[in-house]
Amino acid sequence: MNKILIIDDDFAVQTSLQLLLQQAGFQVKTCDSPAAARELIPAYKPTLIILDLNFSIETSGEEGMKALKMLRSEFPEVLIILLTGWGTINLAVEGMKLGAKDFLTKPWKNDHLLQSVRTILDLEEKTESVSTRKKLDQKFDFEHIVGEDPKLLSILETIGRVAPTDAPVLITGESGTGKELIAEAIHQNSKRRVRPFVKVNLGGISATLFESELFGHVRGAFTDAKSDRIGRFELANRGTLFLDEIGDLDLSSQVKLLRVLQDRTFEPLGSSKSKTVDVRVICATNRNLEEMVSQGTFREDLFYRINLISVKLPALRERPIDIASLATYFVDNLKVIYERPQLKISSKALQWLQTLVLPGNIRQLKNLVEKTILLSPNDQLEITDFQKNISQVSSAPKSAFPEVGTLTLEEMELLMIRKAMSFHQNNISRVARSLGITRFALYRRLEKFGIPYAEE
């Protein structure tokens, strides 16, 4: 049984937390000061400490920070959760840097506190090392993740261990490395697998629509709000919410997101009634958030809130042995879609593909394979078939890409959609796949730009 020690000078807080944690099956002791804790810890040997940041009338939190430094120095193996008010959240973030595992605000929510305690304890449990893909597939559901590179296997082992907990996960890596697939795998191997997995591309949501999109709105909240709308947080209740491109979020929206991640409550736009949600949040970005924090463009407290577990996906050029497996996987899927059952890639072509740099990573490889299938009349794809298509990208002059300032991002998006529609002869499914978006997302963009299309 895990032992928990509560350090707080408020007797009511001690009693409340002790009863809550004991009912949840933990062994609990309390004390009212860091000095008393120092005497108690050697004999009691707690696994986790819940530490208040204030022990006097003063609310600066300095006493709690001194206590944290003492505990980390003298008892480094003990896990620590900080208890704080919103006024000392900046100190709590400093505490995370010093080794605290999480911070909770007063007044806490019982289910949130228990979830945090269980998550941190679960993550500390030692698990048997899994070294082969076969062992991983026997233990977890990674059906849609292809590859056997040691870097990938290490990541799969990590997410397999983390998935059953409710730990927030931050997935980083270049565009096209498969961040969404990893997020889906975490959800699929979690206790929430039968609940919704809701995806939100924050890079495609303007600051004015952020609250409506994530928290919903009530009728009349703004000019075009003709009916109530359920937000993504509510749709993901008891499931998983995947926030892609979180590095694109503006600072005002970051504050609103931090609030709901901290309190698990939100108010739909135009409503005064709070709603509570139970959501596991997974975030992804191709940006360097630590650098953004240092530049002041990303909130440090939000960074630590979403970053309990961090997974960095390698670029495809860093795992070249998986290129052949991925190319074969794409062909096996596409030959069904395009009704060409005899399609395959020659062994020489597979070896040649492994030599490519592919700056667009897995997405670029998939695009290359699909384009080659569409343009080649042969059922066995050779090196020359691929070279015809890769050369169009690699040999294109730099001037073929518009100079900065000549086109807006919206104009570039419109141009790419029109080119894809023309290339795929208005086949919505193929256009969406080639652009790396869902059919629903493509329909929204077609309506936005007034591009005619036929329903599938």
Side-chain angles (χ1 to χ4, degrees), residues 361-380:
N361 295 296
I362 299 171
R363 188 178 295 132
Q364 183 182 0
L365 177 63
K366 183 178 184 295
N367 183 273
L368 173 62
V369 170
E370 184 167 14
K371 188 183 296 185
T372 303
I373 289 172
L374 287 168
L375 298 180
S376 174
N378 306 316
D379 280 341
Q380 177 162 298

Side-chain angles (χ1 to χ4, degrees), residues 93-109:
V93 171
E94 291 300 314
M96 298 280 282
K97 293 180 182 178
L98 292 172
K101 294 296 182 182
D102 198 1
F103 64 90
L104 301 170
T105 56
K106 294 179 180 178
W108 65 86
K109 288 184 170 54

Side-chain angles (χ1 to χ4, degrees), residues 185-320:
I186 294 172
H187 174 74
Q188 196 57 39
N189 288 277
S190 74
K191 298 171 185 176
R192 299 172 180 261
R193 66 178 68 88
V194 298
R195 299 295 179 178
F197 177 77
V198 177
K199 297 178 279 189
V200 186
N201 185 343
L202 296 176
I205 300 176
S206 66
T208 54
L209 293 177
F210 174 80
E211 284 188 85
S212 174
E213 191 72 22
L214 266 70
F215 310 139
H217 63 248
V218 297
R219 180 181 178 183
F222 48 89
T223 304
D224 294 327
K226 298 177 181 178
S227 61
D228 291 356
R229 178 182 179 179
I230 297 175
R232 302 299 182 91
F233 266 95
E234 192 170 354
L235 287 173
N237 191 34
R238 301 180 68 187
T240 303
L241 183 64
F242 176 50
L243 301 178
D244 198 8
E245 305 299 348
I246 194 166
D248 292 353
L249 206 57
D250 67 283
L251 285 168
S252 64
S253 297
Q254 289 176 30
V255 174
K256 295 166 187 173
L257 178 60
L258 178 63
R259 282 282 183 175
V260 71
L261 293 183
Q262 177 60 46
D263 293 343
R264 307 296 174 96
T265 60
F266 65 92
E267 292 178 1
L269 194 61
S271 172
S272 59
K273 293 182 179 178
S274 293
K275 293 189 175 184
T276 301
V277 286
D278 171 19
V279 172
R280 198 249 186 98
V281 174
I282 301 173
C283 299
T285 183
N286 58 10
R287 297 193 180 195
N288 186 332
L289 293 189
E290 289 182 321
E291 188 175 292
M292 291 179 68
V293 167
S294 67
Q295 294 171 349
T297 55
F298 198 86
R299 291 183 63 95
E300 189 174 37
D301 44 10
L302 178 59
F303 175 69
Y304 279 100
R305 176 57 67 196
I306 65 175
N307 190 32
L308 182 58
I309 300 295
S310 181
V311 175
K312 188 178 189 305
L313 301 188
L316 194 52
R317 62 183 174 275
E318 297 171 8
R319 42 181 284 225

